[in-house]
PDB file of all heavy atoms in Angstrom:
ATOM      1  N   LYS E   2      90.966  87.934  80.601  1.00 94.00           N
ATOM      2  CA  LYS E   2      91.673  87.264  81.655  1.00 94.00           C
ATOM      3  C   LYS E   2      92.822  86.440  81.099  1.00 94.00           C
ATOM      4  O   LYS E   2      92.699  85.887  79.999  1.00 94.00           O
ATOM      5  CB  LYS E   2      90.715  86.309  82.447  1.00 94.00           C
ATOM      6  CG  LYS E   2      89.964  87.012  83.525  1.00 94.00           C
ATOM      7  CD  LYS E   2      89.340  85.978  84.473  1.00 94.00           C
ATOM      8  CE  LYS E   2      88.789  86.582  85.674  1.00 94.00           C
ATOM      9  NZ  LYS E   2      88.340  85.566  86.650  1.00 94.00           N
ATOM     10  N   ALA E   3      93.860  86.282  81.885  1.00 95.00           N
ATOM     11  CA  ALA E   3      94.948  85.395  81.508  1.00 95.00           C
ATOM     12  C   ALA E   3      95.208  84.412  82.627  1.00 95.00           C
ATOM     13  O   ALA E   3      95.231  84.792  83.798  1.00 95.00           O
ATOM     14  CB  ALA E   3      96.206  86.178  81.197  1.00 95.00           C
ATOM     15  N   HIS E   4      95.338  83.159  82.246  1.00 97.00           N
ATOM     16  CA  HIS E   4      95.743  82.139  83.269  1.00 97.00           C
ATOM     17  C   HIS E   4      97.102  81.640  82.921  1.00 97.00           C
ATOM     18  O   HIS E   4      97.399  81.216  81.821  1.00 97.00           O
ATOM     19  CB  HIS E   4      94.760  80.940  83.189  1.00 97.00           C
ATOM     20  CG  HIS E   4      93.408  81.253  83.675  1.00 97.00           C
ATOM     21  ND1 HIS E   4      92.372  80.330  83.769  1.00 97.00           N
ATOM     22  CD2 HIS E   4      92.861  82.446  84.102  1.00 97.00           C
ATOM     23  CE1 HIS E   4      91.279  80.894  84.241  1.00 97.00           C
ATOM     24  NE2 HIS E   4      91.533  82.196  84.468  1.00 97.00           N
ATOM     25  N   ILE E   5      98.038  81.702  83.875  1.00 98.00           N
ATOM     26  CA  ILE E   5      99.413  81.342  83.676  1.00 98.00           C
ATOM     27  C   ILE E   5      99.759  80.145  84.569  1.00 98.00           C
ATOM     28  O   ILE E   5      99.510  80.182  85.754  1.00 98.00           O
ATOM     29  CB  ILE E   5     100.365  82.521  83.976  1.00 98.00           C
ATOM     30  CG1 ILE E   5      99.876  83.778  83.215  1.00 98.00           C
ATOM     31  CG2 ILE E   5     101.783  82.186  83.570  1.00 98.00           C
ATOM     32  CD1 ILE E   5     100.603  85.015  83.683  1.00 98.00           C
ATOM     33  N   HIS E   6     100.360  79.156  83.999  1.00 97.00           N
ATOM     34  CA  HIS E   6     100.927  78.005  84.747  1.00 97.00           C
ATOM     35  C   HIS E   6     102.435  78.113  84.661  1.00 97.00           C
ATOM     36  O   HIS E   6     102.945  78.118  83.532  1.00 97.00           O
ATOM     37  CB  HIS E   6     100.475  76.684  84.179  1.00 97.00           C
ATOM     38  CG  HIS E   6      99.041  76.389  84.393  1.00 97.00           C
ATOM     39  ND1 HIS E   6      98.058  76.783  83.468  1.00 97.00           N
ATOM     40  CD2 HIS E   6      98.378  75.822  85.453  1.00 97.00           C
ATOM     41  CE1 HIS E   6      96.872  76.409  83.982  1.00 97.00           C
ATOM     42  NE2 HIS E   6      97.075  75.832  85.139  1.00 97.00           N
ATOM     43  N   ILE E   7     103.098  78.076  85.767  1.00 98.00           N
ATOM     44  CA  ILE E   7     104.558  78.110  85.766  1.00 98.00           C
ATOM     45  C   ILE E   7     105.010  76.820  86.448  1.00 98.00           C
ATOM     46  O   ILE E   7     104.695  76.575  87.601  1.00 98.00           O
ATOM     47  CB  ILE E   7     105.111  79.361  86.514  1.00 98.00           C
ATOM     48  CG1 ILE E   7     104.618  80.619  85.788  1.00 98.00           C
ATOM     49  CG2 ILE E   7     106.656  79.320  86.596  1.00 98.00           C
ATOM     50  CD1 ILE E   7     104.797  81.886  86.579  1.00 98.00           C
ATOM     51  N   THR E   8     105.738  75.978  85.691  1.00 97.00           N
ATOM     52  CA  THR E   8     106.157  74.681  86.220  1.00 97.00           C
ATOM     53  C   THR E   8     107.662  74.532  86.055  1.00 97.00           C
ATOM     54  O   THR E   8     108.226  75.141  85.096  1.00 97.00           O
ATOM     55  CB  THR E   8     105.428  73.527  85.472  1.00 97.00           C
ATOM     56  OG1 THR E   8     105.562  73.788  84.077  1.00 97.00           O
ATOM     57  CG2 THR E   8     103.987  73.473  85.829  1.00 97.00           C
ATOM     58  N   LEU E   9     108.241  73.747  86.901  1.00 97.00           N
ATOM     59  CA  LEU E   9     109.669  73.443  86.746  1.00 97.00           C
ATOM     60  C   LEU E   9     109.902  72.608  85.509  1.00 97.00           C
ATOM     61  O   LEU E   9     109.087  71.753  85.169  1.00 97.00           O
ATOM     62  CB  LEU E   9     110.158  72.703  88.046  1.00 97.00           C
ATOM     63  CG  LEU E   9     110.331  73.561  89.245  1.00 97.00           C
ATOM     64  CD1 LEU E   9     110.529  72.677  90.456  1.00 97.00           C
ATOM     65  CD2 LEU E   9     111.515  74.535  89.108  1.00 97.00           C
ATOM     66  N   LYS E  10     111.035  72.845  84.830  1.00 96.00           N
ATOM     67  CA  LYS E  10     111.368  72.042  83.660  1.00 96.00           C
ATOM     68  C   LYS E  10     111.632  70.622  84.047  1.00 96.00           C
ATOM     69  O   LYS E  10     112.034  70.371  85.217  1.00 96.00           O
ATOM     70  CB  LYS E  10     112.589  72.648  82.944  1.00 96.00           C
ATOM     71  CG  LYS E  10     112.271  73.925  82.217  1.00 96.00           C
ATOM     72  CD  LYS E  10     113.460  74.459  81.393  1.00 96.00           C
ATOM     73  CE  LYS E  10     113.020  75.730  80.688  1.00 96.00           C
ATOM     74  NZ  LYS E  10     114.167  76.410  80.087  1.00 96.00           N
ATOM     75  N   ASN E  11     111.426  69.702  83.114  1.00 93.00           N
ATOM     76  CA  ASN E  11     111.755  68.314  83.372  1.00 93.00           C
ATOM     77  C   ASN E  11     113.223  68.185  83.725  1.00 93.00           C
ATOM     78  O   ASN E  11     114.068  68.819  83.091  1.00 93.00           O
ATOM     79  CB  ASN E  11     111.500  67.440  82.174  1.00 93.00           C
ATOM     80  CG  ASN E  11     110.005  67.111  82.017  1.00 93.00           C
ATOM     81  OD1 ASN E  11     109.291  67.136  83.035  1.00 93.00           O
ATOM     82  ND2 ASN E  11     109.562  66.855  80.824  1.00 93.00           N
ATOM     83  N   GLY E  12     113.545  67.390  84.731  1.00 93.00           N
ATOM     84  CA  GLY E  12     114.964  67.198  85.088  1.00 93.00           C
ATOM     85  C   GLY E  12     115.367  68.156  86.247  1.00 93.00           C
ATOM     86  O   GLY E  12     116.415  67.926  86.815  1.00 93.00           O
ATOM     87  N   VAL E  13     114.608  69.193  86.471  1.00 96.00           N
ATOM     88  CA  VAL E  13     114.942  70.096  87.546  1.00 96.00           C
ATOM     89  C   VAL E  13     114.329  69.532  88.872  1.00 96.00           C
ATOM     90  O   VAL E  13     113.197  69.158  88.874  1.00 96.00           O
ATOM     91  CB  VAL E  13     114.393  71.534  87.309  1.00 96.00           C
ATOM     92  CG1 VAL E  13     114.690  72.433  88.507  1.00 96.00           C
ATOM     93  CG2 VAL E  13     114.985  72.094  86.031  1.00 96.00           C
ATOM     94  N   LEU E  14     115.130  69.426  89.864  1.00 96.00           N
ATOM     95  CA  LEU E  14     114.727  68.879  91.116  1.00 96.00           C
ATOM     96  C   LEU E  14     113.598  69.703  91.760  1.00 96.00           C
ATOM     97  O   LEU E  14     113.654  70.949  91.655  1.00 96.00           O
ATOM     98  CB  LEU E  14     115.821  68.777  92.140  1.00 96.00           C
ATOM     99  CG  LEU E  14     116.752  67.546  92.090  1.00 96.00           C
ATOM    100  CD1 LEU E  14     117.794  67.649  93.150  1.00 96.00           C
ATOM    101  CD2 LEU E  14     115.918  66.292  92.271  1.00 96.00           C
ATOM    102  N   ASP E  15     112.563  69.089  92.343  1.00 96.00           N
ATOM    103  CA  ASP E  15     111.450  69.757  92.939  1.00 96.00           C
ATOM    104  C   ASP E  15     111.346  69.356  94.396  1.00 96.00           C
ATOM    105  O   ASP E  15     110.523  68.509  94.731  1.00 96.00           O
ATOM    106  CB  ASP E  15     110.200  69.418  92.129  1.00 96.00           C
ATOM    107  CG  ASP E  15     108.963  70.065  92.689  1.00 96.00           C
ATOM    108  OD1 ASP E  15     109.084  70.917  93.588  1.00 96.00           O
ATOM    109  OD2 ASP E  15     107.856  69.687  92.206  1.00 96.00           O
ATOM    110  N   PRO E  16     112.144  69.941  95.324  1.00 96.00           N
ATOM    111  CA  PRO E  16     112.119  69.556  96.679  1.00 96.00           C
ATOM    112  C   PRO E  16     110.769  69.723  97.394  1.00 96.00           C
ATOM    113  O   PRO E  16     110.311  68.909  98.195  1.00 96.00           O
ATOM    114  CB  PRO E  16     113.200  70.362  97.340  1.00 96.00           C
ATOM    115  CG  PRO E  16     113.598  71.405  96.359  1.00 96.00           C
ATOM    116  CD  PRO E  16     113.107  70.997  95.034  1.00 96.00           C
ATOM    117  N   GLN E  17     110.051  70.795  96.961  1.00 95.00           N
ATOM    118  CA  GLN E  17     108.751  71.104  97.590  1.00 95.00           C
ATOM    119  C   GLN E  17     107.771  69.997  97.217  1.00 95.00           C
ATOM    120  O   GLN E  17     107.049  69.511  98.050  1.00 95.00           O
ATOM    121  CB  GLN E  17     108.298  72.458  97.091  1.00 95.00           C
ATOM    122  CG  GLN E  17     107.215  73.054  97.963  1.00 95.00           C
ATOM    123  CD  GLN E  17     106.766  74.446  97.475  1.00 95.00           C
ATOM    124  OE1 GLN E  17     107.365  75.020  96.551  1.00 95.00           O
ATOM    125  NE2 GLN E  17     105.731  74.977  98.154  1.00 95.00           N
ATOM    126  N   GLY E  18     107.785  69.578  95.954  1.00 96.00           N
ATOM    127  CA  GLY E  18     106.937  68.547  95.441  1.00 96.00           C
ATOM    128  C   GLY E  18     107.246  67.254  96.192  1.00 96.00           C
ATOM    129  O   GLY E  18     106.330  66.518  96.588  1.00 96.00           O
ATOM    130  N   LYS E  19     108.531  66.964  96.355  1.00 95.00           N
ATOM    131  CA  LYS E  19     108.934  65.709  97.011  1.00 95.00           C
ATOM    132  C   LYS E  19     108.445  65.727  98.478  1.00 95.00           C
ATOM    133  O   LYS E  19     107.956  64.683  99.006  1.00 95.00           O
ATOM    134  CB  LYS E  19     110.493  65.594  97.034  1.00 95.00           C
ATOM    135  CG  LYS E  19     111.012  64.970  95.755  1.00 95.00           C
ATOM    136  CD  LYS E  19     110.924  63.428  95.718  1.00 95.00           C
ATOM    137  CE  LYS E  19     111.105  62.822  94.371  1.00 95.00           C
ATOM    138  NZ  LYS E  19     109.889  62.995  93.488  1.00 95.00           N
ATOM    139  N   ALA E  20     108.503  66.877  99.138  1.00 96.00           N
ATOM    140  CA  ALA E  20     108.026  67.004 100.525  1.00 96.00           C
ATOM    141  C   ALA E  20     106.529  66.716 100.617  1.00 96.00           C
ATOM    142  O   ALA E  20     106.060  65.982 101.533  1.00 96.00           O
ATOM    143  CB  ALA E  20     108.363  68.419 101.061  1.00 96.00           C
ATOM    144  N   ILE E  21     105.755  67.273  99.670  1.00 96.00           N
ATOM    145  CA  ILE E  21     104.321  67.054  99.633  1.00 96.00           C
ATOM    146  C   ILE E  21     104.041  65.557  99.429  1.00 96.00           C
ATOM    147  O   ILE E  21     103.176  64.991 100.087  1.00 96.00           O
ATOM    148  CB  ILE E  21     103.651  67.927  98.548  1.00 96.00           C
ATOM    149  CG1 ILE E  21     103.827  69.368  98.756  1.00 96.00           C
ATOM    150  CG2 ILE E  21     102.178  67.569  98.430  1.00 96.00           C
ATOM    151  CD1 ILE E  21     103.397  70.257  97.645  1.00 96.00           C
ATOM    152  N   GLN E  22     104.799  64.995  98.475  1.00 95.00           N
ATOM    153  CA  GLN E  22     104.556  63.552  98.127  1.00 95.00           C
ATOM    154  C   GLN E  22     104.833  62.683  99.381  1.00 95.00           C
ATOM    155  O   GLN E  22     104.063  61.764  99.656  1.00 95.00           O
ATOM    156  CB  GLN E  22     105.544  63.189  97.018  1.00 95.00           C
ATOM    157  CG  GLN E  22     105.187  61.874  96.370  1.00 95.00           C
ATOM    158  CD  GLN E  22     106.121  61.559  95.168  1.00 95.00           C
ATOM    159  OE1 GLN E  22     106.782  62.504  94.613  1.00 95.00           O
ATOM    160  NE2 GLN E  22     106.140  60.305  94.734  1.00 95.00           N
ATOM    161  N   GLN E  23     105.915  63.018 100.126  1.00 95.00           N
ATOM    162  CA  GLN E  23     106.202  62.186 101.341  1.00 95.00           C
ATOM    163  C   GLN E  23     105.165  62.384 102.377  1.00 95.00           C
ATOM    164  O   GLN E  23     104.775  61.422 103.069  1.00 95.00           O
ATOM    165  CB  GLN E  23     107.605  62.590 101.828  1.00 95.00           C
ATOM    166  CG  GLN E  23     108.687  61.908 101.066  1.00 95.00           C
ATOM    167  CD  GLN E  23     110.057  62.519 101.350  1.00 95.00           C
ATOM    168  OE1 GLN E  23     110.225  63.207 102.331  1.00 95.00           O
ATOM    169  NE2 GLN E  23     111.041  62.240 100.498  1.00 95.00           N
ATOM    170  N   SER E  24     104.623  63.627 102.545  1.00 96.00           N
ATOM    171  CA  SER E  24     103.561  63.880 103.492  1.00 96.00           C
ATOM    172  C   SER E  24     102.331  63.095 103.143  1.00 96.00           C
ATOM    173  O   SER E  24     101.687  62.481 104.015  1.00 96.00           O
ATOM    174  CB  SER E  24     103.215  65.346 103.580  1.00 96.00           C
ATOM    175  OG  SER E  24     104.334  66.131 103.879  1.00 96.00           O
ATOM    176  N   LEU E  25     101.969  63.063 101.831  1.00 96.00           N
ATOM    177  CA  LEU E  25     100.800  62.311 101.404  1.00 96.00           C
ATOM    178  C   LEU E  25     101.040  60.805 101.635  1.00 96.00           C
ATOM    179  O   LEU E  25     100.126  60.105 102.099  1.00 96.00           O
ATOM    180  CB  LEU E  25     100.531  62.598  99.916  1.00 96.00           C
ATOM    181  CG  LEU E  25      99.925  63.953  99.609  1.00 96.00           C
ATOM    182  CD1 LEU E  25      99.890  64.197  98.101  1.00 96.00           C
ATOM    183  CD2 LEU E  25      98.479  64.063 100.163  1.00 96.00           C
ATOM    184  N   ALA E  26     102.235  60.332 101.355  1.00 95.00           N
ATOM    185  CA  ALA E  26     102.567  58.903 101.559  1.00 95.00           C
ATOM    186  C   ALA E  26     102.380  58.545 103.042  1.00 95.00           C
ATOM    187  O   ALA E  26     101.837  57.511 103.370  1.00 95.00           O
ATOM    188  CB  ALA E  26     103.959  58.605 101.058  1.00 95.00           C
ATOM    189  N   SER E  27     102.820  59.447 103.946  1.00 96.00           N
ATOM    190  CA  SER E  27     102.718  59.169 105.357  1.00 96.00           C
ATOM    191  C   SER E  27     101.248  59.205 105.815  1.00 96.00           C
ATOM    192  O   SER E  27     100.901  58.675 106.878  1.00 96.00           O
ATOM    193  CB  SER E  27     103.541  60.073 106.186  1.00 96.00           C
ATOM    194  OG  SER E  27     102.955  61.357 106.218  1.00 96.00           O
ATOM    195  N   LEU E  28     100.384  59.828 105.053  1.00 95.00           N
ATOM    196  CA  LEU E  28      98.946  59.876 105.342  1.00 95.00           C
ATOM    197  C   LEU E  28      98.221  58.621 104.735  1.00 95.00           C
ATOM    198  O   LEU E  28      97.004  58.485 104.869  1.00 95.00           O
ATOM    199  CB  LEU E  28      98.286  61.113 104.785  1.00 95.00           C
ATOM    200  CG  LEU E  28      98.521  62.414 105.571  1.00 95.00           C
ATOM    201  CD1 LEU E  28      97.953  63.616 104.815  1.00 95.00           C
ATOM    202  CD2 LEU E  28      97.919  62.355 106.944  1.00 95.00           C
ATOM    203  N   GLY E  29      98.980  57.796 104.049  1.00 94.00           N
ATOM    204  CA  GLY E  29      98.392  56.548 103.493  1.00 94.00           C
ATOM    205  C   GLY E  29      98.096  56.570 102.025  1.00 94.00           C
ATOM    206  O   GLY E  29      97.548  55.598 101.502  1.00 94.00           O
ATOM    207  N   PHE E  30      98.435  57.680 101.319  1.00 92.00           N
ATOM    208  CA  PHE E  30      98.222  57.687  99.880  1.00 92.00           C
ATOM    209  C   PHE E  30      99.422  57.068  99.193  1.00 92.00           C
ATOM    210  O   PHE E  30     100.429  57.777  98.903  1.00 92.00           O
ATOM    211  CB  PHE E  30      97.988  59.116  99.400  1.00 92.00           C
ATOM    212  CG  PHE E  30      96.770  59.777  99.961  1.00 92.00           C
ATOM    213  CD1 PHE E  30      96.894  60.710 101.010  1.00 92.00           C
ATOM    214  CD2 PHE E  30      95.514  59.455  99.507  1.00 92.00           C
ATOM    215  CE1 PHE E  30      95.731  61.282 101.542  1.00 92.00           C
ATOM    216  CE2 PHE E  30      94.349  60.000 100.033  1.00 92.00           C
ATOM    217  CZ  PHE E  30      94.486  60.939 101.075  1.00 92.00           C
ATOM    218  N   ASP E  31      99.325  55.777  98.951  1.00 87.00           N
ATOM    219  CA  ASP E  31     100.522  55.034  98.502  1.00 87.00           C
ATOM    220  C   ASP E  31     100.474  54.742  97.000  1.00 87.00           C
ATOM    221  O   ASP E  31     101.367  54.064  96.465  1.00 87.00           O
ATOM    222  CB  ASP E  31     100.651  53.762  99.296  1.00 87.00           C
ATOM    223  CG  ASP E  31      99.325  52.989  99.435  1.00 87.00           C
ATOM    224  OD1 ASP E  31      98.350  53.462  98.818  1.00 87.00           O
ATOM    225  OD2 ASP E  31      99.276  52.021 100.157  1.00 87.00           O
ATOM    226  N   THR E  32      99.467  55.274  96.301  1.00 86.00           N
ATOM    227  CA  THR E  32      99.424  55.021  94.863  1.00 86.00           C
ATOM    228  C   THR E  32      99.983  56.232  94.052  1.00 86.00           C
ATOM    229  O   THR E  32      99.904  56.267  92.843  1.00 86.00           O
ATOM    230  CB  THR E  32      98.041  54.777  94.342  1.00 86.00           C
ATOM    231  OG1 THR E  32      97.172  55.885  94.765  1.00 86.00           O
ATOM    232  CG2 THR E  32      97.421  53.524  94.936  1.00 86.00           C
ATOM    233  N   LEU E  33     100.650  57.168  94.799  1.00 91.00           N
ATOM    234  CA  LEU E  33     101.276  58.301  94.155  1.00 91.00           C
ATOM    235  C   LEU E  33     102.563  57.907  93.444  1.00 91.00           C
ATOM    236  O   LEU E  33     103.435  57.285  94.118  1.00 91.00           O
ATOM    237  CB  LEU E  33     101.650  59.340  95.243  1.00 91.00           C
ATOM    238  CG  LEU E  33     100.575  60.309  95.683  1.00 91.00           C
ATOM    239  CD1 LEU E  33     101.024  60.893  97.005  1.00 91.00           C
ATOM    240  CD2 LEU E  33     100.375  61.380  94.668  1.00 91.00           C
ATOM    241  N   GLU E  34     102.683  58.209  92.200  1.00 92.00           N
ATOM    242  CA  GLU E  34     103.935  57.850  91.531  1.00 92.00           C
ATOM    243  C   GLU E  34     104.841  59.071  91.454  1.00 92.00           C
ATOM    244  O   GLU E  34     106.066  58.954  91.506  1.00 92.00           O
ATOM    245  CB  GLU E  34     103.645  57.352  90.129  1.00 92.00           C
ATOM    246  CG  GLU E  34     103.231  55.901  90.200  1.00 92.00           C
ATOM    247  CD  GLU E  34     102.785  55.305  88.842  1.00 92.00           C
ATOM    248  OE1 GLU E  34     102.789  56.097  87.863  1.00 92.00           O
ATOM    249  OE2 GLU E  34     102.422  54.170  88.811  1.00 92.00           O
TER     250      GLU E  34
END
Side-chain angles (χ1 to χ4, degrees):
Chain E
K2 273 196 171 187
H4 291 182
I5 310 169
H6 290 91
I7 299 166
T8 48
L9 285 168
K10 288 186 179 170
N11 281 336
V13 177
L14 275 181
D15 178 9
Q17 200 177 354
K19 277 280 164 284
I21 298 172
Q22 194 175 344
Q23 281 166 15
S24 303
L25 286 170
S27 74
L28 285 173
F30 296 103
D31 46 7
T32 57
L33 277 163
E34 281 175 357

